[in-house]
Amino acid sequence: MKAAGRLDDLREAYVRNHPESCARHERAQAWMPGGNTRSVLHFDPFPLVIASGRADMLTDVDGYEYIDCAGEFSAGLYGHSDPVIVAALHEVLDNGLVLSGPNTAESELAELLCRRFPSLERLRFCNSGTEANLFALLTAIDATGRKRVLVFEDAYHGGVLTFAGGGSPMNVPFDFVTASFNDIESARASVKRHEDDLAAILVEPLLGAAGNIPAEAAFLAMLREEATRCGAVLIFDEVKTSRLGRAGLQGHYGIVPDMTTLGKNISARACPLAHSAARGP
Amino acid sequence: MSAILHRKTDTVPPAVAQADGLWVTDSDGRRYLDAVSGGAAVSAIGHRDERVRDAILRQFDAVSYAHGSFFTSEPAEELAAYLVGKAPAGLSKVVFCSGGSEAVETALKLARQYWVERGEPGRGKIIARRQSYHGATLGALSVGGNLPRRALYEPLLFEAELIAPCYAYRERREDETERDYGLRAAAELEDAILRLGPETVAAFIAEPVVVGATLGCAPAVDGYLSEVRAICDRYGVLLILDEIMCGSGRTGYRFAFEEDGVVPDIVTVAKGLGGGFVPMGATLVHDRIADAIAAGSGALAHGFTYMGHALACAAALAVQRAVDEDGLVAAAAASGTALRRMLEASLGQHRHVGDIRGRGLFIGIELVADRETKAPFDPAAKLHAVVKASAMENGLMIYPSGGTIDGRAGDHILLAPALNAREDELAEIVARLGRSLDAALETLK
Ligand SMILES: Cc1ncc(COP(=O)(O)O)c(C=O)c1O
Ligand SMILES: Cc1ncc(COP(=O)(O)O)c(C=O)c1O
């Protein structure tokens, strides 16, 4: 009772103290469903609208300052507006953007990443982690001539690849089967059951959105072994986990997938950038 | 002026005056928090203990010493039975001595005698590992793989075959699992045995967790030691495990090798055995060695004056009983986890901390100039020595060493506090360590 009353007080204070965020949210609702375009950033009664950020501090439109512990949901490795990154962006803008030809930096970045991650022999760039995962899955489906994809309960691989609470109506209509993360025997049984149709196993080596649950080394080793045995493509989603080691978690575990998807951290959220990368046959 | 030829001829270290628990006081009244059990993983139950004191006084009033060729003694018999009782089945006999190096000499000589008793006198070679340390005496130094420590004495040493240590931080490739790496590292033993000819190899000696002084507690990875055991069995080579520093409960197991699920043929223990109250060492041997000697010459070809010193055995027995009474093996496991967590929190993201590793309360921190490339600091800067001096300034005893990687380059810090260190003491160790490290790095700028 007491706690609920306190909560109401806090909510009221929040509304009272953030009139500009409130007004902007109301305006946004006229043009965007729910007034936002990235559901994870929304909370009731309205989210803070952020005006600016510098290093590890954020300022909202009502003038309040916050220490940023969200770090752009793991992507913001260097905080906001790191001078080295800002200078590089300025240089790009000064030289002109989207010039309808390969640019001067892409192959250098590709080399750097390939040298770093053991599974990367060659890679393609795209614009988001979601997109990287879609390309990886479509590539696996095409390469194997099979359709089914094994994913894990509670995994998040993008807005259209969400597997918490039994999936999402917004998921891409691929032929998914789910198994439980870190459960070696049941996951092995799933692979066996579907092996003739299995195009890919998509796994995040640390279940990020479900609360940063690290994979057991033996679980990943089993997936590696089973994928090799049945000819499915093992895809590590290292969109988030690439930040956890020089060579991401694959380097930590010493387990090399057939394809790796990257995003978030490698662009450190200066501008969108993501990769599907693959090992040759 | 000092009449002692000190380790550094131009400096006399501070004189220790008193100590209690994890706190050491010098003759100027300065206090130091002891994060390495007396300096080298020795004082396993801390400084001072009433039970040990009583045991020493009681034995002193009875008898302190009689030579082993005349008498055995009650404390020596009891201690031997106690150690064997804690060891895995098969390790059934004990030979006492006064320290680690002597225990290793004993082990090497027993291995040699075993093969002669067995009618295979051609087996005389020892395989050991690079970057290992097994003691300062000439035999122990001969099987030590730390080249700078050997160089001066090279003409006096016998030749041992050296293979790679198990050093996952630098040797594991990013496309190989720890286990695969361990198998690859162990395969070097098989290669060495085949190169030398199995009929010439007496034993392989290694530490389950590589010593602080030379490799900074790099632990055997999962599967490494069991593969080593299997290779030794395949070629009849004896396996000697040196637990002088990592044994006696320090890793959270009575014997560190228990965690790896292997049983060696010979084990050496010292340091924590006497807990620093007395100089003490022991070599435990497997039935098959004791039986071979009994069935052959029936006599131990080796002996020291101080072998089973009654007073020392009484003290060591009291230390070992205290370890069990106070549940310190389990405590070492729990405190080791806590200390690791604190170190990870405080130094895990430090730009010059490359690796935090070890087992239980036996922890190594490898320092690097660059985490990304793992490049070491310039050895000429002697970072390890600067860190040690800085820690002493901050009232903290730690054990830093250089030459981690190859005997020349690399720096690490060894932590091995008493098994009964309290959580607040561990936190204080971590706090002082952080300050000392940063102060040391500051001077390199
Ligand atoms: C593991 C994982 N995969 C994929 C994605 C999707 O990345 P993006 O939001 O860039 O599409 C995310 C985003 O949170 C993620 O955490
Ligand atoms: C593993 C190991 N073996 C042997 C020794 C030699 O022991 P002592 O110095 O007691 O002779 C040491 C000492 O550091 C050691 O750590």
Side-chain angles (χ1 to χ4, degrees):
Chain A
M1 211 46 221
K2 237 182 163 173
R6 170 99 181 108
L7 213 51
D8 289 340
D9 291 348
L10 286 171
R11 252 192 217 112
E12 265 169 45
Y14 177 79
V15 174
R16 202 167 49 246
N17 293 331
H18 298 90
E20 183 62 22
S21 278
C22 183
R24 282 179 183 265
H25 180 63
E26 260 155 38
R27 238 173 296 149
Q29 272 174 318
W31 310 109
M32 295 190 284
N36 74 78
T37 190
R38 194 173 166 203
S39 308
V40 72
L41 300 183
H42 180 84
F43 51 84
D44 284 334
F46 55 83
L48 295 171
V49 176
I50 305 296
S52 64
R54 185 137 291 275
D56 56 357
M57 297 300 291
L58 298 174
T59 308
D60 73 13
V61 288
D62 290 292
Y64 296 98
E65 290 203 320
Y66 306 86
I67 299 174
D68 182 6
C69 295
E72 183 56 1
F73 293 78
S74 86
L77 287 184
Y78 299 97
H80 303 281
S81 306
D82 179 89
V84 173
I85 297 170
V86 169
L89 288 173
H90 277 299
E91 194 185 315
V92 171
L93 292 173
D94 290 346
N95 284 333
L97 268 180
V98 286
L99 305 174
S100 302
N103 64 55
T104 53
E106 61 190 58
S107 66
E108 206 180 321
L109 177 58
E111 175 180 351
L112 211 140
L113 290 166
C114 287
R115 288 193 185 285
R116 181 179 279 245
F117 292 86
S119 68
L120 269 59
E121 289 176 2
R122 288 184 182 75
L123 64 82
R124 271 184 93 94
F125 293 108
C126 51
N127 299 296
S128 70
T130 305
E131 208 183 316
N133 281 324
L134 289 173
F135 279 130
L137 289 175
L138 289 164
T139 305
I141 288 167
D142 184 54
T144 58
R146 303 170 180 174
K147 292 237 173 306
R148 203 152 292 162
V149 175
L150 178 65
V151 293
F152 295 91
E153 285 157 21
D154 296 331
Y156 180 82
H157 298 290
V160 297
L161 294 160
T162 301
F163 301 98
S168 151
M170 297 298 286
N171 274 0
V172 281
F174 290 177
D175 184 2
F176 291 116
V177 288
T178 52
S180 84
F181 189 72
N182 269 343
D183 184 341
I184 295 182
E185 284 325 310
S186 86
R188 194 200 294 277
S190 289
V191 176
K192 288 218 156 81
R193 194 154 51 245
H194 301 288
E195 62 184 37
D196 294 337
D197 305 315
L198 203 60
I201 301 172
L202 174 59
V203 64
E204 198 185 2
L206 169 149
L207 216 46
N212 286 345
I213 301 163
E216 314 260 347
F219 175 72
L220 294 179
M222 178 279 292
L223 293 180
R224 176 64 279 176
E225 188 188 308
E226 288 295 312
T228 305
R229 189 187 54 74
C230 74
V233 177
L234 180 64
I235 306 169
F236 277 7
D237 177 343
E238 296 233 41
V239 168
K240 250 184 185 165
T241 59
S242 64
R243 64 182 281 161
L244 295 174
R246 213 193 80 85
L249 280 187
Q250 54 194 267
H252 169 77
Y253 289 107
I255 295 174
V256 185
D258 302 308
M259 298 185 86
T260 299
T261 55
L262 301 169
K264 288 187 189 279
N265 317 305
I266 45 147
S267 56
R269 256 334 186 229
C271 44
L273 188 61
H275 313 268
S276 305
R279 291 203 287 168
Chain B
M1 271 298 281
S2 169
I4 295 177
L5 185 55
H6 280 291
R7 283 164 187 252
K8 295 235 173 341
T9 52
D10 60 352
T11 21
V12 178
V16 65
Q18 223 187 333
D20 194 8
L22 263 73
W23 292 92
V24 175
T25 311
D26 72 15
S27 55
D28 293 332
R30 283 188 51 113
R31 276 159 56 82
Y32 305 85
L33 180 53
D34 181 359
V36 268
S37 296
V42 175
S43 306
I45 63 170
H47 301 275
R48 276 172 60 105
D49 186 283
E50 291 301 318
R51 293 161 293 186
V52 180
R53 174 181 180 276
D54 292 347
I56 289 177
L57 292 181
R58 230 179 301 119
Q59 190 58 42
F60 182 85
D61 287 338
V63 56
S64 293
Y65 174 76
H67 194 277
S69 64
F70 294 82
F71 297 104
T72 183
S73 72
E74 199 178 297
E77 293 293 341
E78 269 191 71
L79 177 60
Y82 200 90
L83 294 178
V84 164
K86 297 286 173 195
L91 290 165
S92 61
K93 298 282 182 195
V94 181
V95 183
F96 287 117
C97 58
S98 305
S101 301
E102 288 187 359
V104 170
E105 299 292 338
T106 305
L108 297 174
K109 290 170 82 177
L110 280 168
R112 171 62 188 158
Q113 186 179 354
Y114 169 81
W115 287 115
V116 175
E117 303 276 10
R118 283 279 308 264
E120 293 192 49
R123 289 212 192 232
K125 290 183 181 155
I126 307 289
I127 301 173
R129 301 191 301 177
R130 290 192 289 279
Q131 277 307 83
S132 60
Y133 182 67
H134 295 293
T137 51
L138 294 174
L141 203 56
S142 295
V143 298
N146 184 250
L147 301 177
R149 278 169 208 251
R150 302 169 49 112
L152 175 63
Y153 308 106
E154 214 58 70
L156 309 180
L157 304 180
F158 68 77
E159 202 172 319
E161 187 75 8
L162 298 179
I163 63 169
C166 190
Y167 184 15
Y169 173 60
R170 285 183 188 277
E171 300 293 329
R172 181 182 71 85
R173 296 191 313 254
E174 278 169 342
D175 63 353
E176 113 192 296
T177 61
E178 286 221 327
R179 207 181 159 77
D180 288 344
Y181 162 63
L183 296 182
R184 180 163 66 84
E188 286 213 11
L189 174 60
E190 183 156 32
D191 294 346
I193 292 172
L194 293 173
R195 194 161 56 238
L196 296 170
E199 69 292 348
T200 69
V201 181
F204 172 58
I205 182 168
E207 282 175 86
V209 187
V210 172
V211 74
T214 46
L215 233 179
C217 292
V221 299
D222 183 32
Y224 173 78
L225 276 184
S226 46
E227 182 66 10
V228 160
R229 176 74 268 183
I231 293 168
C232 286
D233 288 344
R234 197 171 309 145
Y235 300 101
V237 170
L238 295 178
L239 175 60
I240 304 173
L241 290 183
D242 181 346
E243 298 232 342
I244 288 163
M245 210 164 193
C246 65
S248 305
R250 177 151 294 286
T251 63
Y253 290 80
R254 192 74 190 202
F255 294 90
F257 59 69
E258 290 173 56
E259 189 170 354
D260 303 278
V262 300
V263 180
D265 301 294
I266 304 180
V267 193
T268 56
V269 289
K271 297 194 190 267
L273 174 61
F277 299 102
V278 287
M280 189 69 201
T283 307
L284 277 70
V285 300
H286 197 276
D287 288 332
R288 71 177 72 97
I289 292 168
D291 292 350
I293 294 173
S297 67
L300 201 57
H302 154 89
F304 289 122
T305 298
Y306 294 127
M307 198 154 105
H309 189 282
L311 186 72
C313 287
L317 181 60
V319 171
Q320 294 315 302
R321 285 193 170 135
V323 165
D324 288 312
E325 262 171 43
D326 298 347
L328 295 188
V329 179
S335 304
T337 306
L339 179 55
R340 270 290 269 281
R341 197 175 305 128
M342 293 181 211
L343 287 169
E344 285 292 347
S346 117
L347 297 175
Q349 301 302 314
H350 192 290
R351 67 189 316 131
H352 294 302
V353 170
D355 193 26
I356 302 176
R357 59 186 175 231
R359 292 182 183 178
L361 280 177
F362 195 44
I363 296 178
I365 302 168
E366 185 163 340
L367 303 175
V368 290
D370 184 335
R371 277 162 67 109
E372 171 87 22
T373 61
K374 303 184 183 178
F377 282 94
D378 178 2
K382 286 197 185 307
L383 174 61
H384 57 96
V386 182
V387 171
K388 181 165 181 182
S390 158
M392 287 296 273
E393 268 312 291
N394 279 296
L396 178 69
M397 290 168 64
I398 52 174
Y399 186 174
S401 292
T404 314
I405 302 168
D406 53 6
R408 198 188 68 83
D411 298 271
H412 68 262
I413 296 167
L414 173 78
L415 299 179
L419 310 190
N420 52 8
R422 295 189 317 259
E423 187 129 349
D424 59 319
E425 292 169 327
L426 297 177
E428 185 61 25
I429 287 170
V430 174
R432 291 186 186 202
L433 177 62
R435 287 203 294 279
S436 308
L437 180 59
D438 286 336
L441 290 166
E442 200 57 40
T443 67
L444 293 197
K445 281 189 183 153

